[in-house]
Amino acid sequence: MTPDSRRYHITTFGCQMNKADSERMAGVLENMGFQWSDTPDDANLILYNTCTIRDNAEQKVYSYLGRQAKRKHAEPDLTLVVAGCVAQQEGDDLLRRVPEVDLVMGPQHANRLEDLLDQVAAGQQIVATEPIHIVEDITKPRRDSTVTAWVNVIYGCNERCTYCVVPGVRGVEQSRTPEAIRNEMVQLGEQGFKEVTLLGQNIDAYGRDLPGVTPEGRHQHNLTDLLYFVHDVPGIERIRFATSHPRYFTERLIQACCELPKVCEHFHIPFQSGDNDVLKAMSRGYTQEKYRRIIDRIRDLMPDASISADAIVGFPGETEAQFENTLKLVEEIEFDQLNTAAYSPRPRTPAALWENQLSEEVKADRLQRLNHLVGLKAGVRSQRYANRIEEVLVEDQNPKDPTQVMGRTRGNRLTFFPGNIEELRGRIVAVKVTEVRSFSLTGQPLSALTPV
Ligand code: SF4
């Protein structure tokens, strides 16, 4: 395989963490001389970055892999890589199931891809799922956008939510140093990026594994102090962070978000259930009352803040009355966006072994009722944008209408308006909202607020 014929394709399943890991692995491959191929069929290295948060996500990768495994019999030079959470969960079992795979690598090994591929090139079949300390990347990610960027701040999760596979597949919490995070943001600012999303499975846990305690007994390194530490990075106009955990969400953080102009008024705080007994069974570590107090406090200081969340229906043992408590919370909080899912028993999670599993029919019924309510409430919540002027950071052309560009408000609302992408990409434009939909807006540009 000559260097210039080395072409790669990455298919990414799942969450923002996986998207960020795929960008890092793409950066490693391009540093090795591989070139991106828009389709897997033109590539001779195919990488699936997988998700196992629910069974259907896991099963998807096997249908994709099956086709390429057949192809490999005709093209022995084809390299097949399975990365991410299914790789970590299955390890050697995945090789037994699909022996054509060359490399199975867990999320912690993302930036070791070159070493692992060197071993594959030497004729070995590799499984890299042992827990390791994640060192800083030496190669730059190949980012999907030139305007917005993901920046990992903490890998893994030490929580033990009884339905969740993440701690088992992503390992213990490993925070990056504030200096490493700031350096990455400084480079992004120099490259013309305008917005950064700080990422962590449980971002409120940032820094608790790093040394240092303040005189008040607080972890010296924490998300709030990190926001102050990176706020003045030149060129970066907007800062977002995800995913928050109600158990650790603090008054200091809310104050900081209110005080720091670049920090966008958008909070992603999964609540999962509106019922305290279900939250207890999930080992979430907070009550619905505490969750409501957090939202109320955010809205006290930032009345227009956007609130999004995740919710699970049909958790083992959930009664109709307990499900109605979830509906009641959604009814009263009026989320801007709510990601909903029916409970899916996952390998090596406590709740999967419990007797009181609900039927698929009950789960499907509850999911449909919740989604109906979510759509209604998002529609109501969206009405506040009508005829308002919103600051929109232009990210791309509208794929459905080339006369329009698209971007998001500070509240993370997708917005479309007429414009030329070459002129407006990366600029913040004042847009008068003329049309409101449940999850997106359309408007007319007034003026560009930031220079080219
Ligand atoms: S906080 Fe809970 S739900 Fe979130 S990643 Fe950790 S274990 Fe999973």
Side-chain angles (χ1 to χ4, degrees):
M1 200 190 304
T2 56
D4 57 7
S5 71
R6 299 207 289 177
R7 300 170 61 74
Y8 77 98
H9 183 86
I10 297 180
T11 305
T12 305
F13 303 91
C15 66
Q16 296 150 323
M17 301 296 287
N18 256 13
K19 291 194 177 93
D21 287 348
S22 289
E23 292 183 344
R24 295 164 65 216
M25 291 188 279
V28 173
L29 291 169
E30 299 210 352
N31 193 55
M32 291 172 69
F34 281 85
Q35 288 167 353
W36 170 255
S37 162
D38 284 337
T39 66
D41 297 341
D42 294 340
N44 37 43
L45 185 145
I46 295 175
L47 187 151
Y48 293 109
N49 192 10
T50 60
C51 170
T52 189
I53 203 76
R54 276 175 285 282
D55 187 53
N56 57 2
E58 179 184 348
Q59 296 318 319
K60 249 193 228 152
V61 70
Y62 293 112
S63 63
Y64 281 70
L65 259 181
R67 215 161 63 75
Q68 298 301 339
K70 274 204 201 78
R71 184 181 153 205
K72 185 161 170 110
H73 292 287
E75 297 173 41
D77 272 356
L78 178 64
T79 303
L80 290 182
V81 180
V82 180
C85 297
V86 175
Q88 183 68 37
Q89 176 183 288
E90 297 303 308
D92 291 306
D93 292 348
L94 206 151
L95 285 187
R96 272 187 284 281
R97 186 164 170 177
V98 191
E100 294 82 3
V101 170
D102 300 286
L103 170 57
V104 175
M105 52 184 292
Q108 292 190 340
H109 296 263
N111 61 11
R112 293 187 58 232
L113 182 55
E114 180 163 2
D115 307 350
L116 299 170
L117 285 174
D118 289 348
Q119 295 172 49
V120 168
Q124 297 172 54
Q125 206 177 24
I126 302 293
V127 175
T129 53
E130 69 281 10
I132 56 167
H133 176 66
I134 301 171
V135 294
E136 280 297 309
D137 294 359
I138 43 179
T139 56
K140 285 197 178 24
R142 176 193 184 269
R143 299 184 189 269
D144 292 342
S145 167
T146 58
V147 175
T148 65
W150 312 111
V151 172
N152 286 314
V153 301
I154 178 171
Y155 302 101
C157 183
N158 291 2
E159 299 300 303
R160 286 293 174 273
C161 303
T162 52
Y163 54 84
C164 185
V165 286
V166 171
V169 290
R170 284 191 169 266
V172 297
E173 287 162 8
Q174 299 190 42
S175 299
R176 298 175 66 199
T177 64
E179 294 73 22
I181 295 163
R182 186 181 168 91
N183 290 346
E184 184 174 352
M185 288 176 67
V186 168
Q187 288 169 20
L188 289 166
E190 287 161 359
Q191 292 160 25
F193 285 84
K194 294 290 184 288
E195 177 181 296
V196 158
T197 299
L198 305 176
L199 278 185
Q201 304 287 162
N202 171 11
I203 199 160
D204 297 295
Y206 173 72
R208 64 187 186 188
D209 58 310
L210 295 175
V213 177
T214 65
E216 303 84 25
R218 210 182 30 243
H219 288 287
Q220 184 184 341
H221 300 294
N222 55 72
L223 178 60
T224 303
D225 291 321
L226 178 67
L227 289 174
Y228 283 105
F229 182 65
V230 299
H231 189 259
D232 65 348
V233 168
I236 300 297
E237 311 270 351
R238 288 181 171 182
I239 299 172
R240 301 179 188 274
F241 57 87
T243 295
S244 298
H245 196 305
R247 186 176 195 170
Y248 305 102
F249 209 87
T250 65
E251 172 65 20
R252 278 188 80 234
L253 180 61
I254 298 174
Q255 295 281 358
C257 295
C258 184
E259 202 181 291
L260 295 169
K262 293 184 182 180
V263 177
C264 291
E265 301 77 17
H266 166 230
F267 300 89
H268 184 62
I269 319 175
F271 69 91
Q272 304 301 6
S273 171
D275 182 85
N276 287 344
D277 293 333
V278 175
L279 287 171
K280 198 148 185 258
M282 288 176 165
S283 293
R284 288 291 286 170
Y286 55 84
T287 61
Q288 54 93 3
E289 289 86 357
K290 176 175 181 189
Y291 186 83
R292 290 168 186 272
R293 282 197 299 276
I294 291 169
I295 305 304
D296 292 347
R297 186 65 185 134
I298 290 172
R299 287 179 171 164
D300 283 349
L301 295 180
M302 296 163 273
D304 192 53
S306 253
I307 311 285
S308 62
D310 302 340
I312 294 173
V313 301
F315 187 72
E318 182 191 65
T319 64
E320 176 60 23
Q322 291 170 331
F323 169 63
E324 278 164 17
N325 285 334
T326 293
L327 292 179
K328 197 157 165 289
L329 185 141
V330 172
E331 175 79 40
E332 289 159 11
I333 289 186
E334 295 193 344
F335 291 96
D336 290 82
Q337 180 148 8
L338 184 62
N339 308 319
T340 61
Y343 171 71
S344 170
R346 304 311 298 136
R348 293 187 280 280
T349 59
L353 306 171
W354 297 350
E355 299 295 318
N356 51 0
Q357 303 291 332
L358 304 187
S359 70
E360 293 309 315
E361 294 68 39
V362 169
K363 288 194 247 181
D365 167 62
R366 290 180 184 173
L367 189 59
Q368 188 269 328
R369 288 155 61 194
L370 178 59
N371 287 342
H372 177 69
L373 177 62
V374 167
L376 284 181
K377 296 303 224 180
V380 172
R381 188 79 184 129
S382 259
Q383 285 314 313
R384 74 187 192 281
Y385 287 106
N387 302 315
R388 261 175 37 176
I389 295 172
E390 285 293 315
E391 295 181 4
V392 177
L393 171 59
V394 178
E395 292 174 37
D396 223 328
Q397 189 170 46
N398 178 355
K400 295 202 181 86
D401 178 347
T403 68
Q404 288 189 334
V405 295
M406 64 183 203
R408 284 168 298 123
T409 65
R410 291 177 64 87
N412 204 39
R413 192 61 58 129
L414 192 58
T415 305
F416 304 93
F417 63 94
N420 175 317
I421 189 60
E422 300 318 321
E423 270 172 41
L424 295 177
R425 183 179 277 118
R427 299 178 72 183
I428 295 179
V429 177
V431 175
K432 168 101 175 164
V433 176
T434 55
E435 197 186 327
V436 173
R437 292 171 296 277
S438 295
F439 301 107
S440 65
L441 309 170
T442 295
Q444 284 301 321
L446 299 179
S447 60
L449 302 176
T450 52
V452 175

